[in-house]
Amino acid sequence: MKDYELRVIPGCPNGEAALELFRLALAAEVNSVEQLRVRVVRTEEEAMELGFQGSPSFIAGGRDLFPVTSDAALSCRIYPGPGGLAGLPSAESLRSAVHREQ
């Protein structure tokens, strides 16, 4: 069973919504949210060490579910969606990403 982690920066405006979205996706795809934890990334050094791509980041087994090639940074993250760019992935795309990682 994989570990899941939501990585956020302090004050992330999408942090709470991201946590709920991740919980729902895990409940639907792996029938459990017990292995989900939240990690607050506080420094540029920590961001570099983790390869942190912005807040919120959805991680499964140590891998970003939505990998990108940009430099690591303490910043907010945007996701492409059917209505354009947004601060969160769609529920469907997150569920699909979780499903692929099983």
Side-chain angles (χ1 to χ4, degrees), residues 3-91:
D3 289 330
Y4 296 91
E5 186 173 75
L6 176 67
R7 296 178 183 166
V8 296
I9 58 173
C12 175
N14 295 310
E16 290 299 318
L19 182 57
E20 181 62 21
L21 184 66
F22 210 179
R23 283 182 175 145
L24 291 172
L26 291 173
E29 295 299 325
V30 297
N31 299 316
S32 176
V33 296
E34 292 177 20
Q35 63 271 38
L36 174 60
R37 71 182 190 119
V38 176
R39 180 172 187 165
V40 180
V41 180
R42 298 182 187 279
T43 66
E44 289 286 343
E45 292 79 20
E46 188 178 12
M48 294 295 286
E49 178 184 309
L50 293 170
F52 181 67
Q53 297 297 312
S55 180
S57 287
F58 302 86
I59 309 300
R63 294 180 29 173
D64 195 312
L65 290 175
F66 299 93
V68 293
T69 58
S70 62
D71 291 336
L74 283 179
S75 63
C76 290
R77 187 168 181 171
I78 55 173
Y79 293 88
L85 298 176
L88 294 170
S90 69

